[in-house]
Amino acid sequence: MSQQNNWPLWEVFVRSSRGLSHVHAGSLHAPDAQMAVRNARDLYTRRNEGVSLWVVKSEDIISSDPDEKDAFFESPQGKDYRHATYYKASEGVKHL
Amino acid sequence: MAPTTPQEPGLSAVPSYEEEQSQARFDALIGKDSRIEPRDWMPDAYRKTLTRQVSQHAHSEIIGMQPEANWITRAPSLKRKSILMAKVQDEAGHGLYLYSAAETLGTDRDELNDQLLTGRAKYSSIFNYPARSWADMGAIGWLVDGAAIANQVPLCRASYGPYGRAMVRVCKEESFHQRQGFEILLSLSRGSEAQKKMAQDAVNRFYEPALMMFGPPDEQSPNSKQSMAWNIKRFSNDELRQRFVGMIAEQVKVLGLTLPDPELRYDEETKQWIHKDLNWDEFMAVIKGNGPVNAQRMERRREAHREGAWVREAAAAYAAKQVQSEVA
């Protein structure tokens, strides 16, 4: 019944104001990059949510493997000395 | 994120060691009320339930554009016209957020679109009632969007990450819809006798269908239990309906109108709102396609899709040409 579009999927990133990073907002389909940016404006910034947009083809994003999550992110475990809160001796000392 | 391929169903009925491990990980995440993300393992039934629910929700937003779009040209002022257009645009947007969420479960957009156009998929039965007067724009905003919000706010915490995130966005935008509906009814109610009558008539027609938007009573809703166990649904149909009735019973007083329900009262003993019996036979008939305007809504959707074909073709041709000139 409907013709198949097979338009690529794009991920949309919105910078909400100057000085802030672009943050992932969602995704959309569009035939090309220019249309993706325009559609992203219509879809994700109808209420002044952004001052800048990025679109990236979803297939171009490389992500870590969710099945290897535990092993992959194991390294920081048990290394709480990387956080300031680990160091107690300086408690009560001003400006430290 | 890119759609993932659904897990291949195992050939044997006995789950493998890996499947058991995966199921245990899934159960643990649900158990601590964490979120499931697209590339996580999930049971086939969870994926299927969500695909159905999220895509039906998307279809409802898309079909839901029609009753109001029909009134844009007849809105009583330029301001009201602009507001109505913004609302219809939001509904298109909500449909698109939800289609994106549904796609992450592994069914692509063209297929979802096809399911709607060929009538294989359902959408909310409320949109199969006609919008007969301008006051209906008010009643739809106040009662229909109101019921939708009551339903959707808990869905922001749905266990499936992309669905919850889409709902957060939808809920933020939806509250303007309900308020503008309330304002339309209030203006009419404070107007001439004829205008007040028009407002009351619209409320009379939408009250019962809006209450039915929460779905059948709990004892007739076998799927609800599983959805609640999976943390997709957080409250039962009847709980949400109760909450909603309590809200509109107060709000209608501000409007100076009445709800068409002589039985409506709060029972101190059971702490429950008692409302009249809803006509569930009608509900089932409308869901099955025999509502007042089912055929009209579907025909309009197919027509819009047909009429947009040349735009899609032109966009695709232009995109292909650009790729060619890059290569050349």
Side-chain angles (χ1 to χ4, degrees), chain B residues 140-154:
Chain B
I140 288 175
W142 177 47
L143 293 173
V144 175
D145 291 322
I149 293 170
N151 223 341
Q152 288 167 357
V153 167

Side-chain angles (χ1 to χ4, degrees), chain A residues 54-72:
Chain A
W54 287 349
V55 296
V56 170
K57 267 191 193 163
S58 305
E59 61 182 25
D60 290 339
I61 292 182
I62 317 296
S63 57
S64 58
D65 182 349
D67 294 333
E68 285 177 14
K69 191 184 102 200
D70 295 341
F72 192 73

Side-chain angles (χ1 to χ4, degrees), chain B residues 99-121:
Chain B
Y99 280 129
S100 287
E103 273 188 288
T104 63
L105 291 155
T107 308
D108 71 38
R109 182 74 55 97
D110 289 327
E111 167 61 18
L112 294 172
N113 213 356
D114 219 46
Q115 288 176 356
L116 175 62
L117 292 171
T118 55
R120 278 178 291 147

Side-chain angles (χ1 to χ4, degrees), chain B residues 43-91:
Chain B
D44 287 337
Y46 178 84
R47 188 186 297 278
K48 214 171 143 189
T49 297
L50 269 167
T51 303
R52 192 181 54 229
Q53 179 172 339
V54 180
S55 64
Q56 280 181 7
H57 199 155
H59 300 326
S60 302
E61 297 283 354
I62 297 301
I63 297 290
M65 295 163 76
Q66 291 186 34
E68 288 161 319
N70 289 341
W71 277 92
I72 289 174
T73 54
R74 289 171 284 173
S77 71
L78 201 54
K79 186 92 187 174
R80 301 264 191 215
K81 208 188 282 280
S82 308
I83 293 172
L84 210 50
M85 285 200 299
K87 190 165 182 255
V88 173
Q89 282 177 333
D90 274 355
E91 276 144 17

Side-chain angles (χ1 to χ4, degrees), chain B residues 200-304:
Chain B
Q200 184 64 59
D201 171 65
V203 171
N204 289 352
R205 280 182 290 110
F206 278 95
Y207 171 71
E208 197 168 333
L211 291 195
M212 291 196 281
M213 284 172 68
F214 296 96
D218 293 346
E219 68 272 12
Q220 292 165 38
S221 179
N223 298 331
S224 286
K225 243 194 193 124
Q226 179 61 74
S227 282
M228 287 175 77
W230 278 329
N231 292 343
I232 298 172
K233 234 173 130 63
R234 298 286 178 164
F235 301 98
S236 77
N237 296 351
D238 287 331
E239 282 173 321
L240 292 167
R241 190 166 16 245
Q242 279 285 319
R243 193 178 296 178
F244 180 64
V245 170
M247 289 190 275
I248 60 171
E250 290 302 318
Q251 292 167 352
V252 76
K253 293 178 194 162
V254 182
L255 288 175
L257 301 172
T258 55
L259 294 173
D261 189 345
E263 292 166 49
L264 186 66
R265 66 187 172 84
Y266 186 70
D267 186 55
E268 287 291 348
E269 237 168 75
T270 58
K271 308 271 180 223
Q272 294 281 305
W273 282 91
I274 312 292
H275 55 76
K276 66 180 176 186
D277 286 335
L278 303 174
N279 186 349
W280 292 107
D281 292 339
E282 177 186 296
F283 178 79
M284 291 317 293
V286 176
I287 287 223
K288 290 200 173 99
N290 301 316
V293 295
N294 289 54
Q296 183 188 322
R297 296 285 189 248
M298 285 304 296
E299 185 39 43
R300 177 71 194 106
R301 181 72 211 103
R302 292 191 188 108
E303 185 190 354

Side-chain angles (χ1 to χ4, degrees), chain A residues 28-59:
Chain A
L28 53 79
H29 286 273
D32 59 38
Q34 196 186 351
M35 288 292 284
V37 172
R38 281 171 181 247
N39 291 354
R41 177 200 59 190
D42 293 345
L43 190 54
Y44 291 104
T45 64
R46 287 195 302 285
R47 289 176 174 78
N48 290 323
E49 288 95 334
V51 295
S52 167
L53 282 170
W54 287 349
V55 296
V56 170
K57 267 191 193 163
S58 305
E59 61 182 25

